[in-house]
Amino acid sequence: MFPDLILARDGYGKYISRWFNESYLVKVGVKNKKNNFHSLRSNFTDNLKQQLIDEKITAELTGHSEAGISYDRYAKPVHVEMLYQQGILKLNYKNINWLDLKK
């Protein structure tokens, strides 16, 4: 899907993170010590929590385990349509102070 990605020793994250932190954040004007690739995931997860999205949906969307043998070992992942309906569509970034991101 992304042929330009470079596989490093620990996976693809190193180069994606570097590009995001050193190029993309600078380009969109929000580069600072507080904002980085990891904060993107943190912000996304916090938004899901603030919208009271079910923890199972949040775990699936963020790539975390369910921490239970029944779902982790014996169940298939939640269908993409369900993740979209029960998670993505409920995200709300209206109350974010975008100016805080530039500090």
Side-chain angles (χ1 to χ4, degrees):
M1 180 179 239
F2 301 101
D4 294 334
L5 289 180
I6 299 169
L7 179 60
R9 181 182 58 122
D10 296 324
Y12 293 99
K14 175 181 178 181
Y15 293 105
I16 294 171
S17 180
R18 183 178 291 165
W19 169 82
F20 188 84
N21 294 336
E22 297 173 8
S23 297
Y24 184 74
L25 290 178
V26 173
K27 182 178 179 179
V28 298
V30 296
K31 174 70 176 156
N32 62 42
K33 292 179 182 179
K34 188 171 74 171
N35 295 334
N36 58 44
F37 190 67
H38 186 74
S39 65
L40 177 71
R41 184 179 191 167
S42 178
N43 181 278
F44 177 71
T45 305
D46 184 55
N47 193 300
L48 292 167
K49 183 177 182 178
Q50 298 310 316
Q51 303 308 317
L52 302 176
I53 304 302
D54 184 88
E55 286 187 61
K56 290 175 184 61
I57 298 294
T58 298
E60 291 274 346
L61 286 170
T62 57
H64 292 138
S65 72
E66 296 283 339
I69 194 165
S70 295
Y71 282 164
D72 280 347
R73 183 167 294 185
Y74 300 112
K76 294 179 182 176
V78 175
H79 292 283
V80 172
E81 296 85 10
M82 184 62 70
L83 294 174
Y84 179 69
Q85 292 171 2
Q86 297 299 315
I88 301 299
L89 285 178
K90 295 180 180 180
L91 288 171
N92 180 351
Y93 289 94
K94 292 177 185 172
N95 295 322
I96 289 180
N97 183 350
W98 294 101
L99 295 175
D100 285 345
L101 293 177
K102 295 186 178 189
K103 290 181 183 176

